[in-house]
Amino acid sequence: MMNMNTKALAGNREHKSVHLYTFYPVTPYERLAVQLISHIHLGVIIVDDRLNVVEINQAAGNMLGLEKSKILYRSFQEAIIQLGLPKKCRDRLFSILHSREEGRELEFDWCPEAGRVRSLLLRIHPFEDSESGLKGQILMLEDKTETLLLKQQVQQNNRLATIGQIAAGTAHEIRNPLTAIKGFLQVIGHRMKENGQQKEHGYIDVMLREIGRISSLVGEFLMLSKPRHIKVQSVNVVKVLKDILPIIKNEALLHNIDVVIKQQLTTIPMVEADGELLKQVFLNLTKNAMEAMKDGGLLTLCLKTDEKRRQVVVEISDTGPGIPKQVLEKIFEPFFTTKENGTGLGLPICRQILCEIDGEIRIKSGDKGTRVLVHLPLTKA
Ligand SMILES: Nc1ncnc2c1ncn2[C@@H]1O[C@H](COP(=O)(O)OP(=O)(O)OP(=O)(O)O)[C@@H](O)[C@H]1O
Ligand SMILES: [Mg+2]
């Protein structure tokens, strides 16, 4: 690119004060370079020594939400100011551009209009060609969003695997003595009741309840490791939901919550799953929804068939306060909880179970209400 024939756009009426270059690819190599810049997935922006844009490819335009026709031959700094990049990031970018040092980098998050937040890495390289007198800087933008997400997922999976290993190793050892303690406490409890020691019998009840809690926590730990006795077969989602509906309705009644079930099914929703584990998923999700509606509300369970993706989608929505963005980012982390008595294992377990059966969980939430979508693979016909 740097050896490419260049010509100063002298006397450009619109931009009298600036001195611009434009590229005239002549040799096959130069034409190839132009092709490469336009088709490469990296964003490329080339600015001259006065920081006017002389080239911007489609990828860079998309990443920043800039239109080539509006920015070409104009001041890059002005374009960035108009873009509304956060001040700190903008100042850093300008200082890098003015310093003209080799190989500088800047990482920032950016959300172009009508887009998702992207994590971008900008690398800046100055260039100078003594023969043509061409001077400027090449800005290369890389979209790191997916890589970072994958990295986070790998880290999370590693954490889950570690917890799973610890759990598998210790759960058995914890459960055995617990069973013995529970058995003897029950015997002692009976004796106390027979002897009319009501108060002491009450203590035994408390101890048994707490043992129950330890036992179910250990069970959840085990679930975090690869569920070992998973039995995948063709199950009817409607039946699974019907089985747990009394538990959900009972809980809803206690908290002044209405429960509505909607079905938009085109086929009998037979999915490949472990029915018992699926119950656990729906119970965890409805429990979360109800816990979010402390002062009552509406819990909606909606079943849909997605013929195109060969899936059944179960949507669990609530009218609670929603999940703030900074919380939403963490909810699948084991032990992340915002509740006083929460363990923060509900959602990681749901994700783990769904992962085992090629299903998926997605959560959509904002200022009001939360929608949890559970995607399940339809049984092959
Ligand atoms: N429907 C919801 N509405 C609002 N916040 C939610 C909802 N579902 C989950 N959350 C948030 O996600 C966090 C993690 O949920 P998760 O089910 O993993 O753990 P928990 O409910 O806190 O504890 P546990 O399920 O182990 O009792 C919750 O503490 C809560 O902040
Ligand atoms: Mg929960």
Side-chain angles (χ1 to χ4, degrees), residues 270-308:
M270 300 302 288
V271 297
E272 285 298 298
D274 179 316
E276 287 310 306
L277 293 180
L278 213 50
K279 278 182 198 169
Q280 192 175 345
V281 168
F282 294 138
L283 280 173
N284 267 329
L285 298 177
T286 48
K287 179 172 161 266
N288 276 352
M290 290 194 273
E291 282 168 352
M293 297 186 284
K294 285 197 188 74
D295 305 319
L298 181 67
L299 170 71
T300 312
L301 305 176
C302 179
L303 279 109
K304 291 180 223 164
T305 325
D306 185 339
E307 286 288 349
K308 225 160 87 197

Side-chain angles (χ1 to χ4, degrees), residues 159-188:
R159 276 180 74 186
L160 280 180
T162 314
I163 293 167
Q165 277 165 6
I166 298 169
T170 52
H172 189 67
E173 311 313 312
I174 295 175
R175 271 191 173 169
N176 275 351
L178 271 190
T179 313
I181 297 169
K182 194 172 156 188
F184 287 126
L185 274 180
Q186 277 166 340
V187 174
I188 297 169

Side-chain angles (χ1 to χ4, degrees), residues 319-376:
T319 52
I323 309 175
K325 192 174 159 284
Q326 64 276 20
V327 172
L328 200 57
E329 286 163 5
K330 299 197 184 119
I331 54 175
F332 285 105
E333 285 177 16
F335 305 111
F336 174 82
T337 181
T338 54
K339 298 170 193 170
E340 212 170 305
N341 294 318
T343 56
L345 289 177
L347 288 177
I349 287 172
C350 289
R351 177 129 100 180
Q352 178 71 31
I353 292 173
L354 290 169
C355 178
E356 290 297 319
I357 56 167
D358 287 331
E360 211 185 320
I361 179 166
R362 292 183 195 173
I363 300 198
K364 298 183 179 175
S365 192
D367 290 346
K368 195 150 190 7
T370 299
R371 288 168 58 211
V372 183
L373 297 142
V374 175
H375 295 251
L376 300 163

